[in-house]
């Protein structure tokens, strides 16, 4: 019964998406200021659709919770003996379930937009909801026609066949749903951009409506990537946190586009400039999300994270991609010329810096896109090449370094036009920090160029992030400004972590007999014993490592080599010793013929800062949303009060005063 | 219970055990070179060589036996005095550009280098158009 | 109008990508890494016998006389069991097959040959995949055609199915 309710809800939701699309389109046929009578169904359709899609997802969640083995999806991806938490997270640890989560979030955000957004002109709102319905419809079709999550087995399975053990981890509970929510949030930005483009209403009011969605999606992407990076770091067992793998890049590209979009939408909201550019980025950001979905699921590229690969589904997603993105770019090419360019500004201005960095972000995006897709291009000619960190790191640094420098200065500039002379002290300080730190570190040894640059830039950026607060009364600084300061500081923190990991990491690989000792950095690592242990659906050998810092009190770490039996697969469970200034990362390997055990230990100074930085960036985004929403609510209350007064005055029979705004 | 689990485990282990060899890893697969400078060279090189049996991992990040044997090749060749570039060339001569994550300019990879240069030119062009013109406007206005 | 031509650039780039992706979806994904040593001479090597029954293998064993097959295999490799009858067929048609056993133990090799047949004239033991890496082989089983001058002429990746037997015989003939 559960499955049937879920499936029915999905079909109904798809029907409502059609209604939303058609009804929304009628709004375009209304004259200025009027409402087409057929356009009134779009909003309720979006709201009810949200309810139905979420209901469908809840039904699947329930089926996984009770391990309903008559469902094909549950039987192939779950197991009755799995811990409940991983049964639940298993719901989206597979293709169908994750697509259902995707449409659930898509419908939910569409519903929220329809229910709460009253600032946009009705025509733009109608067009936006119509586009949103069109996008949702494609994904419903995808689910219902080619990836039905509620498919029944003719005969219920006796037992499920389990879940990839790498995915039985708390990281899976957080990372993919966060990322999907971010991807899907960008779909709202996309719909809004298309709506505004269709009605030619690209203006600050539209930007203010779009901004919270972009910010929200961007925060979720930031947190999703941060979580994913940490997950890969401790789960894959080799201490790598970013490998420029196609799937990693697939999540980075929407983030880059969203970062650029978030900044340009702010310029549009504040200064009414960069209109076409903002629309372009709105389309681009969602294109990148869909491109990522395509790359991950079609299997056209080889990846360590390859997931639910199937060329047939790939063809379906590619079709959707062609329809939405091709269509959007075509409308863009036809319509963007008709959108006026907006206000002008000087090169040395806040807008100038933002434009510069927008272009730099886009260039980095172009590099990542090129490096990711290039192997695909050569494979068409039967040549296989690999593009990896030695390409991506320097190629993106060409654009990242000037971007980070401008990022340090940009927030100090005034809108519209400014003179660099006013900022002599700040510029000198930033330059001194970059050069000073690089010089100082170089004294202590020879390090690769990029980490060295990273250290210098991180120091300068960390200080520069707080310079906008100089000379201001801290209690009067708007919350959104705090958000910017913290997010920029987060970038510095993260950069510092990356640079330290790149420059100062130490590695120790050794075969150790029980009782044997190895030295890494200031730490003494003693292998005390190796014992077998058992978990709910795995067995493992567990090492007991005593870690002592400069001869101090030892701390025990227990890395494991686990063997899961359904499906049979083995994983390395690394053990981490976290200090404020870094992490000790330990892994137990195989036993050699002479009885010694292979252990791998890394000391990674300040590596945790990479993810602390990511969290700070996310926090900055949350503060920015909170600040904007607060201002918005205040403005609404004020205008409601104004309306009230006007109504009162009218009731008194006086002529209504000219609106203040 | 534990016995049931253990027998189940044995039954499961019997299969994959057949498809994987039981030989000890090559001497330098999991052991570092004694000279830290040489080890740093080897490790930097291993980070940029692709494991041929894996999906998308460097040989420094893989437990596949073949990745271990490739690490042994790299470390023992470094120890014998070969330069990292020579070792990379040796492998590329055997497996093509696929084995190296560091593309070099060749007839198959030149667009990887030409397009970024093009991007730089476009970026410069866009910035000059967008910002340069404004400066003139501002100059005239002032 | 021409001033707005650049607005079409994103669409053009996207269309290019979509076309490429659509084409790639129709192509069978090539999972193999081919050796780029075809046409190159074998590297120098000399491997110890993989078990007591047959001599080991070295480059010198490929020089002179007829072209030969070089079979990279292992007793722990499941597809190698599948290709054993085809190796027997090749031997019956007059091909000389020299084996290289990857990461293997003498006892396992002997047991495998007793159970699945022994088509080899020699088997060298490559415990650390040294020769395998030197000839650009990336897995087991793989079969190379080596001409009488010791030059690698052809590579077959994966297990030899019955339909591959005539192909390999023709390649041996071509290498003559």
């Amino acid at each position: 019964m559960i499955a049937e309710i879920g499936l029915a809800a999905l079909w109904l939701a798809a029907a409502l998406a059609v209604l939303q699309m058609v009804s929304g389109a009628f709004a375009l046929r209304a004259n200025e200021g009027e409402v087409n009578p057929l356009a009134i169904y779009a909003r309720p359709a979006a709201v009810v659709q949200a309810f139905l899609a979420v209901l469908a997802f809840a039904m699947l969640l329930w089926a996984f919770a009770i391990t309903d083995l008559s469902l094909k999806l549950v039987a192939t991806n779950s197991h009755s003996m799995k811990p409940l938490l991983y049964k639940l997270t298993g719901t989206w640890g597979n293709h169908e379930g994750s697509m259902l989560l995707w449409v659930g979030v898509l419908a939910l955000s569409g519903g929220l937009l329809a229910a709460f957004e009253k600032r946009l002109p009705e025509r733009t709102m109608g067009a936006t909801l119509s586009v949103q319905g069109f996008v949702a419809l494609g994904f419903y079709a995808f689910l219902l026609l080619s990836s039905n999550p509620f498919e029944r087995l003719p005969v219920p399975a006796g037992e499920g066949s389990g879940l990839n053990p790498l995915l039985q981890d708390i990281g899976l509970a957080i990372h993919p749903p966060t990322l999907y929510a971010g991807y899907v949030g960008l779909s709202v930005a996309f719909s809004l951009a298309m709506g505004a483009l269709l009605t030619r209403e690209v203006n600050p009011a539209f930007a203010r409506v779009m901004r919270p969605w972009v910010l929200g999606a961007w925060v979720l992407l930031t947190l999703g990537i941060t979580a994913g990076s940490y997950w890969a770091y401790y789960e894959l067992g080799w201490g790598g946190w970013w490998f420029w793998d196609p799937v990693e890049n697939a999540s980075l590209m929407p983030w880059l586009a969203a970062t650029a979009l978030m900044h340009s939408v702010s310029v549009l909201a504040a200064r009414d400039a960069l209109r076409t550019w903002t629309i372009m980025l709105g389309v681009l950001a969602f294109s990148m999300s869909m491109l990522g979905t395509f790359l991950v699921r079609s299997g056209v590229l080889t990846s360590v994270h390859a997931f639910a690969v199937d060329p047939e589904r790939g063809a379906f997603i590619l079709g959707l991609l062609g329809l939405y993105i091709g269509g959007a770019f075509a409308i863009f090419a036809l319509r963007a010329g008709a959108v006026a360019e907006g206000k002008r500004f000087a090169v040395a201005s806040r807008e100038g810096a933002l434009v510069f960095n927008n272009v730099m972000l886009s260039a980095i995006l172009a590099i990542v896109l090129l490096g990711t897709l290039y192997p695909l291009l050569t494979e068409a000619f039967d040549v296989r090449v690999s593009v990896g960190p030695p390409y991506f790191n320097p190629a993106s640094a060409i654009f990242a370094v000037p971007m980070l420098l401008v990022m340090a200065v940009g927030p100090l500039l005034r809108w519209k036009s400014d003179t660099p002379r006013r900022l002599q002290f700040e510029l000198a300080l930033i330059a001194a920090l970059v050069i000073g730190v690089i010089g100082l570190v170089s004294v202590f040894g020879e390090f690769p160029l990029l980490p060295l640059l990273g250290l210098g830039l991180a120091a300068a950026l960390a200080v520069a992030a707080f310079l906008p607060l100089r000379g201001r009364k801290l209690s009067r600084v708007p919350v959104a400004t705090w958000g910017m300061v913290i997010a920029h500081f987060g970038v510095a923190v993260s950069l510092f972590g990356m640079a330290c990991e790149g420059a100062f990491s130490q590695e120790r690989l050794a075969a150790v007999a029980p009782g044997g000792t190895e030295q890494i950095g200031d730490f003494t690592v003693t292998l005390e014993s190796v014992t077998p242990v058992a978990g709910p659906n795995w067995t493992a050998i567990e090492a007991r490592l005593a870690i002592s810092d400069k001869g101090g009190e030892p701390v025990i770490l227990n890395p494991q080599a686990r063997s899961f039996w359904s499906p049979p697969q083995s994983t390395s469970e690394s053990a981490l010793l976290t200090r404020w200034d870094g992490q000790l990362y330990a892994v137990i390997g195989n036993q050699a013929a002479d009885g010694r055990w292979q252990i791998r230990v890394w000391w990674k100074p300040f590596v945790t800062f990479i993810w602390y930085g990511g969290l700070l960036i996310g926090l900055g985004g949350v503060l920015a949303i909170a600040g904007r929403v607060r201002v918005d609510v205040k403005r609404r209350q004020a205008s409601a009060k104004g309306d009230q007064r006007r109504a009162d005055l009218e009731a008194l029979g006086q002529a209504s005063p000219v609106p203040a705004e | 219970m534990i016995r049931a689990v253990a027998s189940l485990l044995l039954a499961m282990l019997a299969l994959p055990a057949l498809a994987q060899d039981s030989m000890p890893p090559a001497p330098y697969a999991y052991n570092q070179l004694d000279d830290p400078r040489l080890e740093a060279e080897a490790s930097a090189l291993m980070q940029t060589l692709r494991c041929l049996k894996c999906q998308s991992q460097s040989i420094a990040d893989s437990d596949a036996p073949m990745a271990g044997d490739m690490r042994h090749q790299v470390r023992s060749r470094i120890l014998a005095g070969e330069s990292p570039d020579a070792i990379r060339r040796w492998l590329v001569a055997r497996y093509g550009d696929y084995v190296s994550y560091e593309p070099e300019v060749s007839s198959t990879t030149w667009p990887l280098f030409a397009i970024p240069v093009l991007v730089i030119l476009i970026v410069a062009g866009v910035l000059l158009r967008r910002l340069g013109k404004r400066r003139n406007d501002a100059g005239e206005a002032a | 109008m021409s001033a707005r031509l650049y607005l079409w650039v994103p669409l053009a780039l996207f269309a290019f990508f979509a076309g490429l992706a659509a084409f790639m979806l129709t192509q069978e994904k090539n999972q193999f890494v081919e050796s780029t040593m075809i046409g190159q001479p074998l590297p120098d090597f000399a491997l110890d016998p993989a078990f007591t029954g047959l001599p080991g293998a070295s480059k010198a064993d490929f020089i002179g006389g007829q072209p030969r097959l070089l079979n990279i295999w292992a007793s722990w490799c499941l597809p190698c069991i599948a290709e054993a009858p085809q190796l027997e067929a090749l031997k019956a048609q007059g091909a000389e097959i020299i084996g290289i056993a990857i990461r293997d133990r003498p006892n396992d090799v002997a047991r495998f040959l007793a159970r699945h047949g022994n088509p080899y004239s020699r088997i060298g033991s490559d415990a650390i995949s040294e020769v395998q890496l030197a000839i650009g082989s990336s897995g087991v089983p793989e079969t190379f055609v080596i001409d009488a001058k010791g030059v690698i002429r052809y590579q077959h990746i994966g297990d030899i199915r019955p339909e591959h037997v005539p192909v390999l015989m023709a390649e041996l003939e071509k290498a003559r």
Side-chain angles (χ1 to χ4, degrees):
Chain A
M1 216 22 221
I2 302 165
E4 282 66 32
I5 294 175
L7 194 58
L10 265 187
W11 277 106
L12 275 175
L16 283 170
V18 176
L19 177 65
Q20 178 185 335
M21 183 176 87
V22 174
S23 171
F26 271 106
L28 283 174
R29 301 191 52 181
N31 294 322
E32 198 69 49
E34 285 173 27
V35 178
N36 189 303
L38 287 174
I40 57 166
Y41 304 108
R43 280 184 199 257
V47 174
V48 179
Q49 191 201 127
F51 169 75
L52 288 170
V54 171
L55 176 72
F57 182 72
M59 288 297 116
L60 190 64
L61 209 56
W62 180 249
F64 266 88
I66 61 168
T67 319
D68 180 352
L69 291 167
S70 68
L71 278 191
K72 191 177 164 200
L73 191 65
V74 178
T76 44
N77 291 291
S78 197
H79 195 284
S80 60
M81 277 168 73
K82 226 164 45 170
L84 179 65
L85 175 66
Y86 297 132
K87 282 183 186 169
L88 292 178
T89 60
T91 312
W92 56 82
N94 55 74
H95 167 73
E96 287 84 353
S98 61
M99 284 316 293
L100 184 58
L101 175 63
W102 170 294
V103 299
V105 181
L106 184 71
L108 188 64
S109 41
L112 288 174
L113 181 76
F116 296 110
E117 188 49 67
K118 312 278 189 209
R119 282 171 293 180
L120 274 184
E122 271 310 308
R123 290 182 71 226
T124 310
M125 192 63 196
T128 301
L129 285 178
S130 181
V131 174
Q132 183 79 9
F134 185 44
V135 171
L137 186 61
F139 284 99
Y140 287 127
F142 182 41
L143 262 183
L144 291 167
L145 301 180
S146 91
S147 325
N148 178 8
F150 295 109
E151 195 179 330
R152 291 269 189 198
L153 287 172
V155 182
E159 185 48 278
S161 52
L163 170 71
N164 184 343
L166 281 180
L167 303 182
Q168 292 190 31
D169 185 276
I170 193 69
L172 183 73
I174 307 165
H175 158 64
T178 319
L179 215 49
Y180 290 154
Y183 283 172
V184 174
L186 289 178
S187 81
V188 178
F190 170 79
S191 303
L192 282 165
M194 291 315 291
L197 187 61
L198 285 168
T199 55
R200 297 200 183 89
E201 294 276 355
V202 187
N203 51 36
F206 148 77
R208 276 194 282 274
V209 172
M210 191 176 184
R211 181 159 55 190
W213 290 98
V214 177
L215 271 170
W218 177 80
V219 166
L220 289 166
L221 284 176
T222 307
L223 296 178
I225 293 173
T226 306
S229 161
Y230 190 64
W231 178 46
Y233 166 78
Y234 75 75
E235 189 65 31
L236 293 182
W238 292 89
W241 52 270
W242 193 264
F243 193 63
W244 297 100
D245 177 271
V247 170
E248 293 171 353
N249 292 348
S251 68
L252 179 66
M253 290 189 286
W255 185 84
L256 289 168
T259 310
L261 175 61
M262 174 183 74
H263 288 99
S264 91
V265 88
S266 289
V267 175
L268 182 56
R271 298 287 312 153
D272 197 10
L274 303 183
R275 291 179 180 170
T276 5
W277 183 245
T278 304
I279 297 293
M280 177 70 215
L281 285 174
V283 175
L284 197 63
F286 184 57
S287 316
M288 290 301 143
S289 316
M290 283 200 61
L291 178 71
T293 312
F294 171 72
L295 291 180
V296 176
R297 286 162 205 263
S298 67
V300 291
L301 289 172
T302 310
S303 158
V304 66
H305 312 285
F307 176 73
V309 163
D310 181 343
E312 223 165 274
R313 290 175 192 150
F316 208 120
I317 301 178
L318 186 63
L320 292 180
L321 198 69
L323 199 60
Y324 299 143
I325 306 311
F329 280 141
I331 294 176
F332 177 80
L334 289 170
R335 282 281 177 130
V339 175
E341 248 200 78
K343 293 239 171 62
R344 305 191 144 196
F345 45 84
V347 60
S349 66
R350 181 84 66 88
E351 296 98 311
L354 282 164
V355 165
F356 183 87
N357 276 2
N358 249 294
V359 172
M360 289 299 146
L361 276 169
S362 311
I364 297 174
L365 176 60
I367 297 290
V368 178
L369 192 61
L370 171 69
T372 309
L373 295 181
Y374 192 75
L376 190 66
L377 180 66
T378 61
E379 266 176 49
F381 300 99
D382 243 345
V383 177
R384 299 185 77 184
V385 297
S386 298
V387 183
Y391 176 79
F392 285 108
N393 287 336
S396 53
I398 293 174
F399 302 101
V401 171
M403 180 184 81
L404 291 165
L405 284 171
V406 171
M407 185 178 150
V409 184
L412 306 171
L413 291 166
R414 290 190 183 131
W415 291 109
K416 202 169 171 195
S417 161
D418 202 348
T419 44
R421 219 171 306 134
R422 193 178 62 84
L423 296 171
Q424 258 170 351
F425 166 74
E426 285 87 347
L427 290 174
L429 178 68
I430 290 166
L433 276 168
V434 174
I435 297 165
V437 169
I438 293 179
L440 190 69
V441 177
S442 306
V443 171
F444 288 101
E446 233 180 90
F447 299 105
L449 176 67
L450 287 181
L452 208 55
L453 274 174
L455 284 173
L457 286 168
L461 197 55
V463 174
F466 289 100
L467 285 180
L469 300 176
R470 202 167 70 107
R472 290 170 82 163
K473 202 168 167 210
L474 290 186
S475 57
R476 301 288 299 275
V477 172
V479 180
T481 306
W482 276 110
M484 177 196 73
V485 166
I486 288 176
H488 283 189
F489 181 65
V491 173
V493 170
S494 202
L495 189 63
F496 176 71
M498 296 175 194
C500 285
E501 202 271 343
F504 311 126
S505 276
Q506 295 181 42
E507 180 181 52
R508 187 81 195 111
L509 315 173
V512 185
T517 293
E518 288 292 328
Q519 189 76 27
I520 177 162
D522 292 333
F523 295 93
T524 313
V525 179
T526 309
L527 177 65
E528 292 198 332
S529 62
V530 180
T531 46
V533 289
N537 52 351
W538 47 266
T539 55
I541 49 145
E542 184 178 278
R544 197 179 142 86
L545 294 172
I547 317 284
S548 144
D549 186 359
K550 292 183 197 127
E553 193 63 24
V555 182
I556 302 297
L557 283 187
N558 299 104
Q560 295 176 342
R562 277 189 197 170
S563 303
F564 288 77
W565 63 74
S566 185
Q569 199 169 351
S570 39
T571 64
S572 284
E573 296 294 311
S574 54
L576 298 167
L577 173 63
T578 308
R579 289 283 162 89
W580 72 271
D581 60 345
Q583 252 176 353
L584 192 89
Y585 187 115
V587 174
I588 174 91
N590 291 326
Q591 190 173 27
D594 59 3
R596 294 190 301 170
W597 292 89
Q598 205 62 63
I599 61 167
R600 313 197 285 260
V601 188
W602 286 268
W603 168 244
K604 291 173 178 288
F606 299 107
V607 67
T608 43
F609 280 47
I610 298 173
W611 306 293
Y612 293 152
L615 292 178
L616 280 174
I617 298 172
L619 174 67
V622 170
L623 287 180
I625 299 173
R628 299 296 178 202
V629 168
R630 219 174 72 168
V631 170
D632 191 52
V633 168
K634 269 190 191 159
R635 188 174 295 161
R636 272 190 214 193
Q637 282 168 349
S639 84
K641 256 187 208 158
D643 289 346
Q644 183 78 43
R645 255 197 34 215
R646 229 166 287 140
D648 290 350
L649 288 174
E650 261 173 38
L652 287 172
Q654 294 177 2
S656 58
V658 183
E661 212 169 343
Chain B
M1 178 65 203
I2 287 178
R3 187 169 305 183
V5 164
S7 62
L8 198 74
L9 185 68
L10 270 179
M12 288 300 187
L13 278 180
L15 264 176
L18 256 182
Q20 191 78 300
D21 66 294
S22 59
M23 289 283 281
Y28 281 123
Y30 288 95
N31 287 305
Q32 290 169 300
L33 296 170
D34 290 329
D35 183 339
R37 199 179 53 81
L38 291 181
E39 173 61 25
E41 268 184 20
S43 143
L45 176 61
M46 291 185 300
Q47 300 282 351
T48 67
L49 293 175
R50 188 174 195 136
C51 165
L52 298 167
K53 297 297 287 177
C54 318
Q55 286 292 310
S56 160
Q57 280 173 305
S58 79
I59 58 169
D61 298 335
S62 172
D63 270 319
M66 191 172 180
D69 287 340
M70 286 171 80
R71 287 198 294 270
H72 172 78
Q73 284 292 321
V74 168
R75 286 204 176 98
S76 54
R77 278 164 189 271
I78 292 266
L79 192 62
E82 270 186 62
S83 76
D85 274 341
I87 300 170
R88 187 193 303 281
R89 276 198 301 275
W90 186 83
L91 278 164
V92 169
R94 271 140 193 87
Y95 296 100
D97 287 322
Y98 187 69
V99 76
S100 167
Y101 274 116
E102 187 177 319
E104 282 173 23
V105 186
S106 74
S107 59
T108 52
T109 56
W110 62 267
L112 275 176
F113 301 89
I115 294 178
V117 173
L118 195 69
V119 169
I120 293 176
L121 291 178
I122 293 173
V123 161
V126 167
L127 287 178
L128 280 179
R129 245 183 77 100
R130 277 255 153 195
L131 300 176
K133 208 167 63 185
R134 301 295 186 283
R135 185 161 47 188
N136 289 346
D137 292 354
E140 278 162 24
Chain C
M1 192 62 210
S2 66
R4 296 294 180 194
L5 213 57
Y6 66 90
L7 290 175
W8 292 92
V9 171
L11 185 64
L13 285 175
F14 174 76
F16 175 72
F17 162 77
L20 174 68
F23 172 71
M24 288 313 286
L25 277 177
T26 62
Q27 299 302 104
E28 188 132 333
K29 191 150 175 63
N30 181 8
Q31 299 288 359
F32 299 131
V33 185
E34 282 158 28
S35 170
T36 45
M37 289 290 280
I38 312 300
Q40 303 287 318
L42 276 178
D44 282 320
F45 68 93
L47 294 175
D48 291 336
F51 77 122
T52 49
L54 284 174
S58 70
K59 182 180 177 180
D61 301 323
F62 289 89
I63 308 293
Q66 306 247 329
R68 295 169 184 83
L69 291 177
L70 168 57
N71 182 238
I72 303 272
W73 69 287
S75 67
W76 45 264
C77 131
L78 292 172
C80 297
I81 300 173
E83 77 168 3
Q86 280 69 254
L87 288 177
E88 291 286 358
L90 283 163
K91 188 192 173 195
Q93 291 178 38
E96 182 186 348
I97 306 170
I98 297 180
I100 291 184
I102 305 297
R103 308 180 56 81
D104 227 329
R105 296 170 196 278
N107 289 342
D108 297 340
V109 170
R111 202 176 308 135
F112 182 97
L113 296 180
R115 192 179 299 169
H116 304 290
N118 180 1
Y120 302 102
S121 63
R122 306 168 157 270
I123 306 177
S125 165
D126 191 359
I128 53 171
S129 316
E130 207 170 9
V131 177
Q132 186 182 27
L133 290 168
I135 61 173
S137 153
S138 49
V140 279
E142 283 187 21
T143 307
F144 291 82
V145 173
I146 315 288
D147 71 13
K149 290 194 193 110
V151 175
I152 304 171
R153 301 291 290 267
Y154 180 78
Q155 179 191 25
H156 176 87
I157 301 179
D159 55 322
I160 302 170
R161 307 269 165 82
E163 66 267 25
H164 298 135
V165 173
V167 178
L168 281 166
M169 287 311 293
E171 288 294 335
L172 278 171
E173 193 55 38
K174 240 169 59 183
R176 198 175 283 275

